[in-house]
Amino acid sequence: MQDSSPLELIRLADEEQSVSLRIIEGMSFSGSDRFDALRAEIVLSSGFVSGRVELYVNAYDLDRWAEALDSVEAGRKVTWLESGRSPRIMIDPTEHTESGCTEVSVYDVTGSQVLVTVPIATQPDWAENHRRLLATVKNRFPLQM
């Protein structure tokens, strides 16, 4: 029996605020044993604002997430999911921000048009941890290419 609990792909958090992307379930439209898309949600929480937005990710998106991890680890800003069909997540590493923290923004470009940015004190090994989360998601939810 397959585990049906949500699985985190992204978890950027400190003691005060967080941004996460949770995979809710795999969606198969072709009837095969592989999934065509993953139903997910972005959850943002802080003492000032909290929000949640649903989206779908596919194999292409997961490959771009792996590339985004490489870019952020190299100290570059990244925007992930910028196709225009879903909310965007933007990550600005510590070296580039006024707050001295990694700034994570969620832009609900397809719905409310709301953009929220939260500073998060990330751990030095966060990219490595996210590569493990990505591998776990790909293992549990094999996607069609």
Side-chain angles (χ1 to χ4, degrees):
M1 180 174 175
Q2 185 167 343
D3 184 358
S4 62
S5 61
L7 185 62
E8 287 186 330
L9 174 64
I10 300 173
R11 175 80 176 144
L12 295 166
D14 59 23
E15 295 173 0
E16 297 179 26
Q17 39 226 9
S18 67
V19 175
S20 64
L21 186 143
R22 299 178 335 144
I23 305 299
I24 308 289
E25 64 181 332
M27 309 294 292
S28 180
F29 308 113
S30 61
S32 76
D33 61 344
R34 293 189 166 269
F35 298 107
D36 299 297
L38 304 176
R39 187 169 71 90
E41 66 180 355
I42 299 170
V43 179
L44 183 144
S45 177
S46 79
F48 180 69
V49 65
S50 295
R52 180 185 154 291
V53 62
E54 287 192 16
L55 68 151
Y56 291 87
V57 296
N58 58 32
Y60 176 83
D61 297 327
L62 294 182
D63 290 344
R64 299 299 72 80
W65 176 236
E67 292 172 5
L69 290 172
D70 293 340
S71 292
V72 172
E73 194 169 39
R76 295 186 299 269
K77 296 178 187 182
V78 338
T79 300
W80 183 57
L81 299 173
E82 55 188 328
S83 68
R85 65 173 169 73
S86 67
R88 294 179 188 155
I89 296 177
M90 294 152 296
I91 302 173
D92 193 353
T94 304
E95 300 85 49
H96 300 289
T97 66
E98 189 174 314
S99 68
C101 294
T102 297
E103 291 183 353
V104 182
S105 302
V106 176
Y107 179 25
D108 182 19
V109 67
T110 59
S112 67
Q113 298 292 304
V114 170
L115 169 67
V116 178
T117 301
V118 293
I120 297 175
T122 55
Q123 299 299 314
D125 61 350
W126 79 268
E128 181 181 321
N129 291 337
H130 279 84
R131 283 187 184 86
R132 282 193 292 272
L133 292 174
L134 176 58
T136 301
V137 166
K138 285 183 168 185
N139 185 51
R140 188 188 300 173
F141 298 102
L143 285 163
Q144 302 273 6
M145 290 304 271

